[in-house]
Amino acid sequence: MLAGERALVAHAGKNSSIVELTSGSGLVGLQLLNLEPGARLFGVDVDCDAESIARANAELLGYGGRARFACASLWDGGMESMLHAENTDMLVCNPPYIPEPPGAALPVEAGAGADGSAHLRRVVALAKATQPETLVLSWCSLCDPEGIVGDAEEAGYHLDELFVVVIADGEYSGSVHDYLVTLPTAFLNSSHETIAAVASDGAARFAYLLMSGSFTRDGMPSHAGQKTMRALCTDFADRGIRALETFQGATESRIWLLDRWDEIALRAILHGPMDARLHALSP
Ligand SMILES: C[S@@+](CC[C@H](N)C(=O)[O-])C[C@H]1O[C@@H](n2cnc3c(N)ncnc32)[C@H](O)[C@@H]1O
């Protein structure tokens, strides 16, 4: 959402066409419509229930006239021509990005191939082929972050701003911990100090970085974003949260810590009616 808002600056007042791939409930794209009254949205998700929910959310928010959704896979043959037909100005994607051990598929909302980058690489390839003006991606430190940002740069995009959240392992990432530690492209930290910061009850095995970025089509690709990724992720894997206190990358970056209490508060806000929210917030 933050990266999307950052990218919207380039589209202010332009009646832009936003395409959100792997749109889920539509929350990111719908928030962009909220901020940019002239924009329109086309969302695509392989889960047809998610498509219906996104459509219902758009109606509920009063954006039905500006938002359309379809049930389709990123790998469908018509994806590239759809992006051309939509005259896509902004391409947004918060995909699955958890690495899947061989023979152990994760649920559709999480699993993304052997190194966790399958969906991201597909979206970057679609951006390369169709060249929207801005690209908004989310990824994490477990899914070859340097490779993903490097691919986006090779596709002609410049990373304008990076948003980073340190978080404790979750249901899916925690379930593949033993596999993650074998991957040279997965960066995590299990130091006592870092675990204590993200999960003060000790209920975490490791911490990792959730990231998002806004990219602009540039024509003169640099490797600044890729260098930023390498420096950030290797230093985080070595020194945990200490690395983040002083981090200075080649890319403008904002870094936060989201601990277990923040996660509980967010879940309560997102999923519960008011009395359930209050209950969750007062254990
Ligand atoms: C991490 S969720 C994010 C949902 C939404 N973008 C958001 O930010 O709330 C990932 C989404 O990717 C969708 N997805 C997984 N594989 C897909 C594919 N091959 N094509 C399109 N969508 C896919 C899932 O159904 C899920 O809704």
Side-chain angles (χ1 to χ4, degrees):
M1 203 105 85
L2 288 169
E5 290 181 18
R6 169 68 174 79
L8 265 191
V9 171
H11 299 275
K14 289 191 189 162
N15 299 343
S16 294
S17 164
I18 302 171
V19 173
E20 183 176 5
L21 299 174
T22 74
S23 48
S25 63
L27 70 92
V28 178
L30 292 171
Q31 166 66 356
L32 299 180
L33 291 191
N34 177 37
L35 295 172
E36 191 52 50
R40 59 190 191 284
L41 171 70
F42 185 58
V44 174
D45 200 287
V46 76
D47 177 350
C48 298
D49 289 341
E51 179 211 4
S52 318
I53 290 167
R55 192 171 290 130
N57 283 339
E59 290 296 331
L60 198 66
L61 293 164
Y63 303 141
R66 292 196 285 141
R68 288 147 48 238
F69 295 92
C71 183
S73 170
L74 280 180
W75 280 275
D76 285 355
M79 217 29 72
E80 200 176 306
S81 44
M82 178 279 285
L83 289 168
H84 281 303
E86 291 295 318
N87 291 319
T88 310
D89 299 303
M90 183 194 282
L91 184 60
V92 179
C93 186
N94 174 29
Y97 38 58
I98 303 296
E100 292 175 298
L106 290 171
V108 68
E109 67 273 21
D115 71 354
S117 73
H119 297 63
L120 283 155
R121 288 190 199 279
R122 171 68 175 154
V123 173
V124 170
L126 289 168
K128 185 174 185 175
T130 58
Q131 295 286 301
E133 186 181 342
T134 53
L135 177 62
V136 175
L137 292 178
S138 309
W139 65 94
C140 74
S141 61
L142 307 176
C143 66
D144 189 11
E146 186 184 336
I148 291 300
V149 173
D151 278 7
E153 290 178 326
E154 284 295 320
Y157 287 87
H158 172 81
L159 177 56
D160 298 313
E161 189 164 357
L162 175 69
F163 301 89
V164 183
V165 175
V166 194
I167 188 170
D169 62 323
E171 186 184 343
Y172 301 131
S173 57
S175 74
V176 295
H177 173 252
D178 293 348
Y179 175 60
L180 293 175
V181 296
T182 69
L183 295 176
T185 49
F187 299 85
L188 51 87
N189 184 279
S190 309
S191 69
H192 178 72
E193 180 183 44
T194 300
I195 300 274
V198 291
S200 53
D201 57 356
R205 294 178 80 178
F206 63 89
Y208 68 108
L209 307 176
L210 291 183
M211 292 179 269
S212 68
S214 65
F215 297 78
T216 305
R217 191 181 61 216
D218 187 304
M220 294 208 309
S222 78
H223 293 283
Q226 189 176 16
K227 283 189 201 135
T228 301
M229 273 304 101
R230 188 182 314 141
L232 176 67
C233 293
T234 52
D235 207 16
F236 175 71
D238 286 345
R239 301 198 296 127
I241 51 166
R242 292 271 163 204
L244 306 174
E245 286 171 358
T246 51
F247 180 71
Q248 293 278 343
T251 307
E252 188 182 343
S253 312
R254 297 196 205 185
I255 303 178
W256 295 267
L257 188 148
L258 193 126
D259 70 11
R260 289 284 196 220
W261 288 114
D262 297 324
E263 286 187 54
I264 290 171
L266 274 174
R267 276 168 203 261
I269 290 164
L270 288 169
H271 299 298
M274 184 55 82
D275 54 347
R277 290 180 217 170
L278 294 174
H279 184 67
L281 289 170
S282 17

